[in-house]
Amino acid sequence: MTVNDVVKIPEFEIVWQEEDRQVTSVFTCDLLSICMAKAPEDSAWVTVMGNRNVIAVASLADVSCVIAAEGCSFDEEAVEAAKGKVTLLKSPLPVFETACLVHQGLV
Amino acid sequence: MEPMILEYTVSADDFSGAGEASGDVKKTLKSLGFPPEVIRRVSVAMYEAEINMVIHARGGKITVEISPDEIRVCCEDVGPGIPDIDLAMQEGWSTASDKVRGLGFGAGMGLPNIKKYTDYLDIKTVVGQGTTLTMSVAV
């Protein structure tokens, strides 16, 4: 599965799109230190945080995309910071259901 | 071979800029062809240290020494110091403010993560004067 497949999931909305890349797993967490240490490389990261620090963590952990679930959105600074770094999406669904939609594409 | 030296200034309370130094080091290590696992360990440890400096220490200076067999990161601040290092090393212990927690930090994982991801960690701290944290990751 790639990011281009994730952005095609009808429930999701693209906030910012980068070049396509592999998605090999899905990861959910909101505490940045845990995400930093545990988010697998090439994962789709589902969170409710939408600040600029999320982009820094996404970039350092090298995740494929970040999905803001529960109808949460990324603030302007975060979207600006994501340019050249990582694809951002929004989902109106809860974290678990959002992650499940990505997971369905992985199995 | 002389190590490559990179120097960064970390600004106090600049949550937006936090991560820029670690991001730059990550990019440099990647372009030098270091193994992904080494890059990840250095990135995680350095980002935690960077964030700690922003949250607790009114900013500071980070020096990174890149050698073929080791990446060494030295973080110096003139912040409040750490009164009890053993407590600070415990997972879950945090003195972060509610504002900081609201941003997704303050899980009390900073120093434990640094310890976990590095091969060497030394913390010199004097209450009221500051903290110098030296860490290294072997290649």
Side-chain angles (χ1 to χ4, degrees):
Chain A
M1 182 182 208
T2 73
V3 173
N4 280 353
D5 300 317
V6 178
V7 303
K8 282 184 198 133
I9 296 173
E11 285 83 353
F12 300 169
E13 183 189 322
I14 301 167
V15 178
W16 178 255
Q17 193 164 11
E18 281 295 317
E19 253 177 63
D20 196 23
R21 56 180 284 183
Q22 283 290 319
V23 177
T24 54
S25 63
V26 57
F27 175 82
T28 75
C29 184
D30 303 309
L31 282 173
L32 298 182
S33 273
I34 293 176
C35 302
M36 201 47 212
K38 305 274 174 70
E41 200 179 341
D42 296 324
S43 61
W45 173 20
V46 184
T47 178
V48 294
M49 304 298 288
N51 60 45
R52 162 79 206 263
N53 306 111
V54 167
I55 312 301
V57 171
S59 160
L60 290 166
D62 209 10
V63 301
S64 303
C65 60
V66 186
I67 309 169
E70 290 281 8
C72 293
S73 44
F74 296 96
D75 60 32
E76 262 177 53
E77 248 194 357
V79 178
E80 207 47 47
K83 294 178 180 173
K85 290 202 177 107
V86 64
T87 296
L88 304 179
L89 297 113
K90 275 165 67 169
S91 159
L93 302 171
V95 171
F96 180 73
E97 286 168 40
T98 300
C100 285
L101 284 178
V102 179
H103 183 72
Q104 279 166 17
L106 288 165
V107 288
Chain B
M1 200 177 112
E2 288 286 301
M4 178 192 247
I5 311 273
L6 304 171
E7 287 181 325
Y8 302 93
T9 303
V10 178
S11 311
D13 279 319
D14 180 10
F15 286 96
S16 316
E20 270 169 26
S22 324
D24 189 66
V25 168
K26 185 186 177 183
K27 220 168 19 180
T28 306
L29 294 176
K30 217 171 183 173
S31 70
L32 291 170
F34 280 94
E37 191 48 34
V38 168
I39 298 176
R40 189 179 165 96
R41 290 170 63 204
V42 173
S43 304
V44 171
M46 184 172 160
Y47 182 65
E48 293 287 8
E50 204 180 334
I51 283 292
N52 275 349
M53 290 167 100
V54 172
I55 295 175
H56 302 289
R58 301 191 290 271
K61 204 179 89 181
I62 302 182
T63 311
V64 182
E65 279 182 43
I66 306 171
S67 310
D69 58 345
E70 183 194 62
I71 322 292
R72 181 171 280 264
V73 180
C74 180
C75 307
E76 284 176 80
D77 69 60
V78 287
I82 306 169
D84 186 337
I85 293 188
D86 289 339
L87 204 52
M89 291 306 298
Q90 271 181 31
E91 272 188 29
W93 169 260
S94 173
T95 57
S97 65
D98 285 350
K99 177 198 159 200
V100 166
R101 286 170 200 264
L103 292 170
F105 299 109
M109 296 283 287
L111 285 171
N113 267 353
I114 294 174
K115 173 106 186 134
K116 186 171 157 195
Y117 283 93
T118 54
D119 295 301
Y120 169 84
L121 171 64
D122 176 63
I123 304 171
K124 288 197 171 41
T125 186
V126 179
V127 172
Q129 287 183 23
T131 300
T132 299
L133 201 148
T134 308
M135 58 177 124
S136 72
V137 171
V139 178

